[in-house]
Amino acid sequence: MGSFKENRKMLMLSFQNNWITEGEFVLLYEANCSKNLIFPHAAYDRFNLQDMDETECLREFRVRKLDVPRLADALSLPETLSCPQRTKTRRIEGLCILLKRLAYPCRYSDLIHRFGRAVPELSMIYNTMEDWIYQHHHDKITQWNDNLLNSNALQLYADAITQTGAALTNCFGFVDGTVRLICRPGENQRIVYNGHKRVHALKFQSLTLPNGIIAHLFGPVEGKKHDSAMLTDSGLLEELEQHAFSPTGNTMCIYGDPAYPLRIHLQAPFRNRALTPQMEAFNKSMSSVRTSVEWIFGDVISSFKFLDFKKNLKIGLSTVGKHYIVSSLLRNALTCMYRNTTSKYFGVDPPSVEEYFA
């Protein structure tokens, strides 16, 4: 079967040659009209990064103009990507479509004037780019990363946290769960309903470092799951037991809120009803540095506000979990290039974007 456009041409030809009646023509013509709005994408020029102003680029893509090719090189994007229906895009254009879509809640039709492409093409290019980055780089953030979490680096992180006045001298990072709101699903609503927040959501667990990087991300899981259950499912404790040691062999740990169990490699606040002054001082000193994990969660959402528009995050219709994982990867890339509040607070520089994606 041909496209709607081809079918309409055939109908016009048939009517002009009196092969069909006027009534048949009207009936068949309406049946071969797409219900989707047709936008005049051909009226706009194709995307050219060099035509953009520096301020426009940073505002729309969250990346400076000169750093867009650098990010594409760091990600090892191929020169040309092909979509399943054979639409092709250059790597800079595809990366900018992905960044533009994630930067702020928008419809694909809002991207036409910038990229000069039809809505179906924009949608397929976005999905292709997101899938490519996820398939080639998700292990950098969803698995134990030796480049970030080797023994020398762990000691460096622990020293930086200690210098801020933290009571623990062997703590190298912080763990916490984040609740990401989604549109209420039509089925299995109870599974994704978070009773504490009273919202439908997916949850993610993040291990964050003093250099502002999300080192380990687990999820998505159903919104009703408790943080301690998510910790068990993630296998993070097993990874810590294998790798979390200083160069001299001392045990290193991470720090979490009271929802987490107490382990050798995982510390939490004192939860006794009657706390001694020393216990209160410990909790206070660690609480002041643990809030850095919330700063990093905020960085992801402030950079990619598409994740905060729950009406467009529909499980079963879009890859909601993949959106957050890819956005976290890109947020790590931005941190590598421009630093963030956490890295400045602890005084620890993140790796270069080339080192991170190596």
Side-chain angles (χ1 to χ4, degrees):
M1 182 179 290
S3 65
F4 285 133
K5 186 176 181 179
E6 292 172 345
N7 290 343
R8 289 196 296 270
K9 285 183 178 179
M10 291 297 298
L11 287 173
M12 290 292 296
L13 182 62
S14 300
F15 180 67
Q16 291 172 356
N17 288 281
N18 297 319
W19 296 339
I20 58 176
T21 65
E22 183 176 353
E24 291 172 333
F25 170 76
V26 172
L27 181 64
L28 293 172
Y29 191 87
E30 290 181 351
N32 283 275
C33 286
S34 174
K35 295 181 181 180
N36 297 324
L37 297 176
I38 300 176
F39 297 94
H41 63 277
Y44 299 96
D45 295 332
R46 284 294 178 90
F47 176 74
N48 186 349
L49 182 64
Q50 301 307 317
D51 294 337
M52 291 190 68
D53 181 76
E54 174 68 34
T55 305
E56 284 183 320
C57 186
L58 184 59
R59 179 181 178 86
E60 294 187 22
F61 306 143
R62 304 295 190 248
V63 181
R64 296 191 179 112
K65 186 175 178 178
L66 293 176
D67 289 331
V68 174
R70 181 188 175 194
L71 178 57
D73 289 338
L75 290 168
S76 301
L77 292 174
E79 287 297 326
T80 304
L81 284 93
S82 181
C83 301
Q85 63 24 295
R86 291 179 289 186
T87 291
K88 294 185 181 296
T89 179
R90 304 286 290 179
R91 64 175 188 161
I92 297 298
E93 180 191 32
L95 179 59
C96 289
I97 289 174
L98 175 70
L99 292 170
K100 172 71 172 177
R101 173 70 166 164
L102 291 173
Y104 201 80
C106 61
R107 297 165 292 188
Y108 285 114
S109 58
D110 298 330
L111 277 58
I112 291 176
H113 77 283
R114 175 59 69 192
F115 298 99
R117 286 185 178 270
V119 168
E121 286 185 311
L122 292 168
S123 175
M124 285 181 281
I125 290 172
Y126 169 84
N127 289 326
T128 299
M129 284 296 304
E130 186 180 61
D131 288 344
W132 194 95
I133 292 176
Y134 178 83
Q135 291 171 7
H136 289 80
H137 295 293
H138 75 93
D139 59 312
K140 303 289 191 306
I141 199 171
T142 58
Q143 300 177 17
W144 189 269
N145 190 333
D146 285 327
N147 290 334
L148 287 173
L149 299 172
N150 57 74
S151 58
N152 290 323
L154 298 188
Q155 187 62 60
L156 175 66
Y157 304 146
D159 292 342
I161 293 174
T162 303
Q163 289 175 4
T164 62
L168 285 173
T169 59
N170 64 336
C171 174
F172 68 87
F174 307 96
V175 64
D176 199 5
T178 181
V179 178
R180 299 310 319 150
L181 277 61
I182 61 172
C183 184
R184 184 178 65 184
E187 299 178 352
N188 301 320
Q189 295 178 7
R190 290 183 178 274
I191 295 177
V192 295
Y193 184 75
N194 183 284
H196 178 64
K197 301 285 187 179
R198 297 185 179 181
V199 293
H200 294 88
L202 297 177
K203 293 188 71 173
F204 296 85
Q205 173 186 278
S206 296
L207 167 60
T208 63
L209 302 175
N211 60 5
I213 296 292
I214 299 174
H216 191 281
L217 179 69
F218 175 73
V221 300
E222 56 273 26
K224 70 176 184 178
K225 182 159 287 190
H226 194 268
D227 283 356
S228 59
M230 188 162 51
L231 175 70
T232 302
D233 293 343
S234 69
L236 180 59
L237 284 177
E238 288 78 5
E239 296 280 5
L240 291 170
E241 290 171 358
Q242 294 178 21
H243 304 286
F245 297 94
S246 70
T248 58
N250 294 327
T251 300
M252 307 298 285
C253 71
I254 57 178
Y255 189 81
D257 62 27
Y260 290 100
L262 190 63
R263 299 289 186 271
I264 296 177
H265 293 281
L266 173 59
Q267 297 296 304
F270 288 100
R271 287 163 279 193
N272 299 340
R273 291 186 178 180
L275 298 179
T276 65
Q278 292 81 5
M279 292 177 178
E280 290 179 349
F282 174 89
N283 287 354
K284 184 177 180 180
S285 70
M286 294 306 300
S287 176
S288 63
V289 293
R290 198 199 69 83
T291 54
S292 63
V293 69
E294 305 292 346
W295 301 345
I296 298 178
F297 289 154
D299 287 340
V300 176
I301 302 304
S302 63
S303 297
F304 303 109
K305 291 186 173 62
F306 179 81
L307 301 174
D308 218 19
F309 186 58
K310 69 173 186 178
K311 291 185 178 180
N312 213 27
L313 301 176
K314 302 176 181 179
I315 56 174
L317 296 180
S318 63
T319 52
V320 181
K322 191 180 294 183
H323 294 337
Y324 190 83
I325 294 173
V326 171
S327 295
S328 297
L329 270 169
L330 293 173
R331 179 57 245 187
N332 278 354
L334 296 184
T335 300
C336 291
M337 291 190 287
Y338 311 128
R339 302 185 68 184
N340 62 4
T341 303
T342 302
S343 66
K344 294 175 183 177
Y345 176 77
F346 288 106
V348 182
D349 291 331
S352 68
V353 69
E354 291 81 9
E355 292 172 343
Y356 179 70
F357 288 108

